[in-house]
Amino acid sequence: MKQIFRNKMVLITGASSGIGRSMARRMAMEGANLILVARRKELLEKVAEEVAGVQDSFCTSTTIIPMDLTEEGAPEKLYEALLRTKVDVLINAAGFGQLRASFDLPLAKEMEMLKLNCEVLHKLTRLFLKPMMQRNEGLILNVASSAGLLPGGPYLAGYYATKAYVASYSRGLNAELKASGSRVRVKILCPGPVNTDFTKVAGGSEWGKGMTPDRCAKIAIDGVKTFRQTIIPGFGVKAGIFATRFLPKCTTTWIVGRYQKGKIQE
């Protein structure tokens, strides 16, 4: 596909691991200049080294910004730090889940998850959207999940709800932009299981085989070059989401609950 991101400035949150890290590598191959944001400086430095070593990379600059986006005022501080930078693409990839029954989780941890997955994403989207609208060009890719397209997810109830928020908000905002005549677009990535540290961080064990994050990132970047607004990597995941349309919501929720409960480490 055509390289439309060459020399574009791409800001990626959650860039130190998982899908965010693979997005950085893929965007480097596309020729984009990168701004990578995550909490841990040493991991960001490793990603910057990887990006510099990507074969056939046309990336000319990589900037790392170590920052905990859940700290008070962090999204605003990030935006202010980049006021003089023309951010062409924002990829909101930062997020995490907590695998347990909601009532068994520390409330503070759940609130941190809600803040990062929803509030921080919403703020960054709104902040960087304004200059994009003024220029009448730009792209925001919000990383949701196939979880956000399902009626509910027992044992990851809060996480599923946050991703439903991301999917709904992104779709609505994109429709508003279209109606206003703006050329700025907001798209969502809704992958199924991906082989990252997500489940380990969530407090569970992997169960089944998922897509590699590099494969997911390639499909995502190829997808945003098309007219598609919702990008669902993998035929199996697409088929599964489609099939749930014909099942009662309680049945789908029960199936999801059995799957997620099987990953809990006691």
Side-chain angles (χ1 to χ4, degrees), residues 85-200:
T85 302
K86 178 176 173 282
V87 175
D88 300 292
V89 180
L90 167 63
I91 300 178
N92 281 309
F96 71 95
Q98 288 287 282
L99 183 62
R100 285 291 186 279
S102 182
F103 49 77
D104 285 334
L105 292 171
L107 180 58
K109 196 65 178 178
E110 274 203 307
M111 292 302 100
E112 181 185 353
M113 177 183 66
L114 290 172
K115 186 170 187 177
L116 182 60
N117 293 10
C118 296
E119 181 182 330
V120 168
L121 178 143
H122 192 123
K123 283 185 175 181
L124 289 176
T125 297
R126 284 292 309 276
L127 288 167
F128 286 96
L129 176 63
K130 186 174 181 180
M132 289 181 183
M133 290 185 69
Q134 291 171 344
R135 299 191 303 266
N136 198 29
E137 63 176 3
L139 168 70
I140 297 173
L141 176 63
N142 288 329
V143 178
S145 168
S146 59
L149 307 178
L150 297 173
Y155 307 103
L156 272 173
Y159 175 79
Y160 272 59
T162 64
K163 294 306 181 180
Y165 177 92
V166 172
S168 179
Y169 173 62
S170 300
R171 284 171 168 168
L173 179 57
N174 190 64
E176 291 169 351
L177 288 166
K178 279 187 176 181
S180 73
S182 174
R183 294 168 56 193
V184 180
R185 290 293 173 260
V186 179
K187 302 195 176 191
I188 49 174
L189 174 63
C190 297
V194 179
N195 295 331
T196 68
D197 288 335
F198 172 84
T199 303
K200 181 180 178 181

Side-chain angles (χ1 to χ4, degrees), residues 215-230:
R215 176 65 177 160
C216 181
K218 183 183 186 306
I219 293 172
I221 302 307
D222 287 346
V224 298
K225 297 177 183 178
T226 70
F227 291 104
R228 281 184 290 164
Q229 199 265 330
T230 301

Side-chain angles (χ1 to χ4, degrees), residues 4-24:
I4 64 173
F5 298 110
R6 182 172 292 192
N7 297 321
K8 299 294 185 180
M9 187 61 73
V10 179
L11 170 61
I12 305 175
T13 69
S16 62
S17 63
I19 294 174
R21 178 181 179 179
S22 291
M23 287 285 194

Side-chain angles (χ1 to χ4, degrees), residues 9-84:
M9 187 61 73
V10 179
L11 170 61
I12 305 175
T13 69
S16 62
S17 63
I19 294 174
R21 178 181 179 179
S22 291
M23 287 285 194
R25 290 170 54 86
R26 175 55 53 177
M27 277 298 190
M29 294 176 68
E30 292 282 329
N33 300 310
L34 305 175
I35 303 171
L36 309 179
V37 182
R39 287 184 305 163
R40 296 174 60 180
K41 181 180 179 181
E42 66 275 16
L43 292 182
L44 283 176
E45 289 173 340
K46 288 182 180 180
V47 176
E49 290 177 3
E50 289 178 4
V51 166
V54 170
Q55 188 176 5
D56 299 326
S57 171
F58 298 98
C59 176
T60 58
S61 73
T62 301
T63 302
I64 64 170
I65 302 179
M67 177 180 288
D68 184 348
L69 290 170
T70 62
E71 290 185 356
E72 193 63 34
E76 292 83 357
K77 290 177 182 176
L78 177 60
Y79 176 70
E80 290 168 5
L82 298 173
L83 273 177
R84 296 186 179 182

